[in-house]
Amino acid sequence: MFQNKIKIMGDHEAEANVISFVANDFDGSQEIDPSLLFETIPVLPLRNTIVFPGSTFPISVGRSKSLKLAKSVEKNRQYVGLVCQKDANIEDPEKDDLYRMGVIAEVLRVIELSENNFSIIVHAKKRFEWVEMVQTEPYFTATYKIRESVKAAKDDKEFAAIIDSVREGMLQTLHLMGEPPRELIQAIGNPSFTDMLISYCATNLPVDSREKQDLLNINDEKEQAYRLLMIINRENQILELKMNIQMKTREDLNQQQKEYYLQQQIRTIQEELGGNTQQIEIKEFREKAKKKKWSKEVAETFEKEIKKLERLNPQSPDYSVQYGYLETIVELPWNEYTKDNFNLKHVQKVLDRDHFGMEKVKERIIEHLAVLKLKGDLKSPIICLYGPPGVGKTSLGKSIAEALNRKYVRVSLGGLHDESEIRGHRRTYIGAIPGRIIQNIQKAASSNPVFVLDEVDKIGNDFRGDPSSALLEVLDPEQNSAFHDNYLSIDYDLSRVLFIATANNLNAIPQPLLDRMELINVGGYIIEEKIEIAHRHLIPKELETHGIPKGSFDIPKTVLSKIIESYTRESGVRELDKKIAKIMRKIAMKIAMKAPYPASLQIEDLKDYLGVEEYSKDRYQGNDYAGVVTGLAWTAVGGEILFVESSLSRGKGSKLTITGNLGDVMKESAMLAMEYIHSHAAELDIEPGVFENWNTHIHVPEGAIPKDGPSAGITMITSLASAYTQRKVRANLAMTGEITLRGKVLPVGGIREKILAAKRAGIKDIVLCAENRKDIEEIKPVYLKGLKFHYVKDVSEVLDFALLKEKVKNAKDFSEKNEKDEKAD
């Protein structure tokens, strides 16, 4: 019966069936037998299916009410009303869920497929509109009105043109959707099929049910045909567009696209063998992203970038770049912090355990933690520890991290000359990576580590930029809450990071960078401190490093003192550590060779273990000679004493000679000192004519070592005054201070290191500028023990204190000699 069934596939299905049309078995008659019509009619709800008069198709019935209706009409041949649901997802529709307009259909056959599955074949007759649902059980029954359509006039040429256009459009649709059967083309093209054309086309067009329902609701046949033509034309345009795109795509298929398809096949094979690598990587990224505490901005950036990764071919060079960028984002600890340890006693204990001395630094850390404990959101300050090498500036960062229970990271800035090392490279460059700041934050896996910027004074700059300028943003608490890395391109919060910079020389740090840091001086150690550091830290460390059993060997404090004085010359303990390591290596060798070795090292053994003494201790050389004065100097390895020597020789013209590898500033100090002696000769009881017959020579020993700075000014004046007056200089005296042409004494730096040098040399009295009193007050009393300070404001005060009335033996009487010279002339 249904041998010539024609099926057009679309997106809209009846209950488990697509709509079909029977071309030959029924003629499309729409006449109704009045004897089979009653005041009410059974209503069968359909899903996503609008039926038009004249259509014949099967309906699969599975819902309980529909099954009851099917069983009822199986016994009595009758008409049913077919009405579409407004929402196809409703399983048990109510009357309000049904459209009002539907079609009356004749049930031709009921086929029982199983107990709960029937198929009924219906032939749609006329449109109807249900008025009232009089019964909902066992199935819907409603009163109704038959709605006759207004037929178009037979001689209406416009209607005929519309019908012809509908026919052509439908044939075009069939061709665009595939190769249609020849019988169907002939049937649609047959003029006798005209009456059925609108119903057939409207029933089988692949458009949604709402649009079909609007078409069914139209009472005028001509208007209905016109609306149908518009829909057909629209669908044909969409189908043509799809075909054009497909053809264009097919034409543009080149070798690269073929390779892509091959890669897709490889991907499918990989999935069969255990999974696609790209999909696994993307899944891992998304899993990690779920655990991140990042902001909305970062989340949006991540989503945008991972979508780019999904679109990229894994073999593409851009894939690895995109993968590396996403990996950086998900590995960074966004808003992830370690909990600070607010036990201040514990912090103090850890700092005291790891570092001897450094009271000022420890006090600053305790202050910071105390404020953080009280306030809770203090921005981390930028601390700069400056001082000579080997005093423990860098290792202090580790102790601070342990005390605060924070992660520790360190980056060495020595020799850095590329700005990109700080800010990172833009992703447009090959091999682009984040800057060292972001790299180390990622490595720490915490957004509040202790971050040591080592050797910040040794940053260089060249054509690639100035890294110290890039550090301005990092080390500014007001800016680093939104630090911008060129590679990351997302602001990162560094405000919770505790930055600790270390430096040896503040003069090498640019002033804008220096202003952003809190400076803490970590000065050199006195001998007593070095002994304690070696005894508590260095010896146990070297014993463990060299595999020597604890307690089997020791270096007494008296021997340590000798090592410090005779084998090292430094402010820190780095050289001392090397000497102890050298001793330990020799002990380890003896243990390994089972040779005897001392359980406790003695002073007389040092020559065998360390060789001959490398340094002779700087000692005060006495005041037996006029013109020799002890000064104090600062060096990169700590303070030292230096001697300024002045001597006079006969000659015309008052020639001044300066030797000792002195810098320009120090030479200027010598000239100022000479000028002061000239202008104040009367006050010093020096005959003015002396200067015309005697040449002056100023020398600073150790000429191979460059020396510069203004702090030897008062030392040179005292030396010249002693040389010209032949008066003795006070014993065990050292001095430091800058001078002016008027004779004022100005303050100088490096006081702590100079004080330590004076103690080592056995100095008792020290002359300083009065303004340096504040520097002395900050030094621990233990460092000042045995020293007496004399504060001056004017050179005359220096000379009054430093020069004794007593003259040296064999003192030259320049005034008498000068008178003889004048008489001879």
Side-chain angles (χ1 to χ4, degrees), residues 50-315:
I50 306 295
V51 182
F52 285 82
S55 302
T56 302
F57 57 91
I59 298 175
S60 182
V61 177
R63 292 188 284 196
S64 59
K65 288 184 179 181
S66 300
L67 285 170
K68 292 173 184 176
L69 189 150
K71 291 176 182 179
S72 172
V73 299
E74 182 182 15
K75 299 173 184 176
N76 305 307
R77 186 168 178 266
Q78 63 183 80
Y79 294 119
V80 295
L82 304 178
V83 181
C84 184
Q85 294 177 202
K86 296 177 182 177
D87 186 354
N89 295 320
I90 298 175
E91 184 64 29
D92 189 11
E94 301 293 336
K95 64 178 182 177
D96 293 336
D97 298 323
L98 304 177
Y99 288 113
R100 287 278 179 176
M101 189 71 72
V103 293
I104 295 175
E106 180 184 359
V107 178
L108 304 178
R109 183 179 299 174
V110 179
I111 303 171
E112 185 175 358
L113 303 176
S114 64
E115 183 180 354
N116 292 321
N117 191 2
F118 281 70
S119 181
I120 61 175
I121 299 172
V122 297
H123 177 57
K125 295 290 186 178
K126 291 185 180 291
R127 296 184 314 134
F128 86 104
E129 182 180 1
W130 62 269
V131 179
E132 183 180 358
M133 286 291 179
V134 297
Q135 179 179 310
T136 57
E137 293 295 340
Y139 45 79
F140 286 114
T141 305
T143 59
Y144 64 95
K145 293 179 182 178
I146 294 176
R147 297 297 186 186
E148 295 287 353
S149 297
V150 179
K151 296 292 183 181
K154 290 184 179 181
D155 57 349
D156 191 335
K157 294 181 180 179
E158 186 180 0
F159 177 71
I162 293 173
I163 290 297
D164 286 343
S165 297
V166 168
R167 180 180 284 108
E168 291 173 3
M170 195 63 195
L171 288 172
Q172 184 182 2
T173 302
L174 293 173
H175 283 291
L176 289 171
M177 295 179 69
E179 192 65 35
R182 186 181 303 170
E183 295 83 357
L184 178 58
I185 296 175
Q186 292 175 351
I188 294 175
N190 195 332
S192 62
F193 191 71
T194 300
D195 294 338
M196 287 296 299
L197 186 62
I198 294 176
S199 293
Y200 169 76
C201 296
T203 302
N204 291 284
L205 274 176
V207 295
D208 61 51
S209 57
R210 184 179 297 275
E211 195 166 15
K212 286 187 178 183
Q213 183 67 37
D214 291 341
L215 200 60
L216 182 66
N217 291 343
I218 298 174
N219 293 323
D220 189 278
E221 185 181 28
K222 184 176 178 180
E223 183 183 347
Q224 190 180 45
Y226 185 74
R227 179 74 65 85
L228 177 62
L229 179 60
M230 290 175 62
I231 295 171
I232 290 173
N233 288 337
R234 184 193 69 201
E235 292 300 315
N236 285 347
Q237 288 177 3
I238 294 172
L239 288 171
E240 285 178 351
L241 185 60
K242 287 180 179 178
M243 286 190 67
N244 289 336
I245 292 172
Q246 290 174 358
M247 289 177 66
K248 186 175 181 181
T249 305
R250 196 176 298 117
E251 290 171 359
D252 293 342
L253 188 63
N254 54 20
Q255 184 64 31
Q256 183 179 354
Q257 289 170 315
K258 288 179 182 178
E259 290 176 1
Y260 172 77
Y261 286 123
L262 290 173
Q263 291 296 337
Q264 291 296 103
Q265 291 178 357
I266 292 172
R267 185 182 301 175
T268 305
I269 294 169
Q270 288 175 340
E271 289 175 355
E272 292 295 326
L273 293 174
N276 181 289
T277 306
Q278 182 183 12
Q279 294 303 322
I280 292 173
E281 290 171 348
I282 291 172
K283 185 179 179 182
E284 288 177 355
F285 280 141
R286 291 194 180 278
E287 289 297 324
K288 289 180 180 179
K290 290 178 183 177
K291 301 174 184 177
K292 289 295 173 183
K293 302 174 183 177
W294 50 33
S295 63
K296 182 181 178 182
E297 177 192 355
V298 180
E300 289 174 354
T301 302
F302 171 79
E303 191 60 34
K304 181 178 72 174
E305 297 296 334
I306 202 166
K307 285 180 179 176
K308 286 183 185 176
L309 187 70
E310 288 174 335
R311 293 193 296 269
L312 287 173
N313 183 348
Q315 304 302 319

